[in-house]
């Protein structure tokens, strides 16, 4: 897992309709810009997998779920394909835990650095996904090749298959 081009931490900023969104891949620290939605997923098993243990301990302040203009604190959402649609956020929910292998959208009033304290995974991680959209992340602090390192198991006792064969 040396420091080669394909496994260095990287990020991409995308601007759509004057709104910046940052995507970060396999980095120990994630820079969250002020008033910018940032997609992240922990690359470790968090020591304390709560919002307070992962986000608020890095100085983000308190979760704000009501303000239309965020002046302090942060917002946090996760897509839940099993949740019922609602009129405002559809299937985005405010998570109570931050789970390895899942992705989250965070929006902060101030620029902060998100550091996940925890243990690096050394074994396989199984993630339950549902039909439709799912927000998953690389649970390891190094690059994984989707075509060769990922396997899908259909059903409780199903055979594990590559992404190409699992369709």
């Amino acid at each position: 897992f040396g420091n080669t081009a394909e496994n260095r931490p990287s990020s991409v900023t995308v601007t759509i309709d004057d709104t910046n969104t940052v995507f970060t891949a396999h980095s120990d620290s994630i820079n969250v810009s002020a008033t910018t939605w940032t997609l992240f997923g922990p690359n470790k098993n968090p020591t304390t997998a709560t919002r307070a243990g992962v986000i608020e301990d890095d100085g983000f302040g308190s979760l704000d779920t009501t303000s239309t203009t965020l002046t302090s604190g942060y917002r946090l959402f996760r897509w839940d394909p099993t949740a019922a649609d609602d009129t405002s956020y559809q299937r985005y929910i405010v998570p109570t835990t931050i789970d390895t292998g899942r992705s989250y959208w965070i929006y902060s009033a101030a620029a902060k650095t998100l550091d996940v304290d925890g243990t690096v995974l050394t074994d396989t991680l199984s993630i339950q996904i549902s039909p439709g959209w799912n927000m998953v992340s690389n649970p390891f602090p190094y690059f994984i090749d989707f075509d060769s390192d990922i396997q899908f198991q259909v059903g409780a006792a199903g055979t594990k298959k590559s992404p190409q064969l699992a369709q």
Side-chain angles (χ1 to χ4, degrees):
F1 310 126
N3 191 20
T4 61
E6 60 271 350
N7 65 8
R8 279 194 296 261
S10 58
S11 66
V12 175
T13 301
V14 178
T15 303
I16 302 171
D17 296 330
D18 297 326
T19 301
N20 287 336
T21 302
V22 179
F23 302 90
T24 302
H26 57 88
S27 176
D28 282 338
S29 295
I30 300 164
N31 293 321
V32 177
S33 300
T35 63
T36 299
W37 284 104
T38 302
L39 182 67
F40 80 96
N43 63 356
K44 300 174 189 162
N45 276 328
T47 303
T48 305
T50 62
R51 286 189 310 257
V54 174
I55 297 166
E56 293 168 13
D57 73 329
D58 286 332
F60 280 83
S62 299
L63 178 70
D64 184 330
T65 59
T66 58
S67 298
T68 55
T69 304
L70 194 64
T71 57
S72 66
Y74 69 97
R75 292 204 176 117
L76 182 73
F77 292 101
R78 177 179 73 81
W79 177 258
D80 183 351
T82 64
D85 284 342
D86 66 31
T87 56
S88 56
Y89 296 109
Q90 297 182 15
R91 294 183 183 178
Y92 283 99
I93 62 166
V94 177
T96 56
T97 61
I98 306 298
D99 301 313
T100 306
R102 295 284 179 203
S103 291
Y104 303 87
W105 286 108
I106 187 168
Y107 186 90
S108 178
K112 300 286 180 184
T113 300
L114 179 61
D115 294 309
V116 178
D117 298 321
T119 343
V120 173
L121 291 172
T122 57
D123 202 357
T124 302
L125 177 69
S126 294
I127 301 169
Q128 177 86 27
I129 60 173
S130 299
W133 291 99
N134 289 266
M135 287 178 58
V136 296
S137 68
N138 178 355
F140 303 104
Y142 52 83
F143 176 81
I144 55 174
D145 183 348
F146 186 80
D147 292 326
S148 64
D149 295 334
I150 303 290
Q151 293 184 335
F152 291 95
Q153 179 176 329
V154 180
T159 304
K160 292 182 179 179
K161 298 179 180 181
S162 69
Q164 296 84 5
L165 297 177
Q167 297 181 23

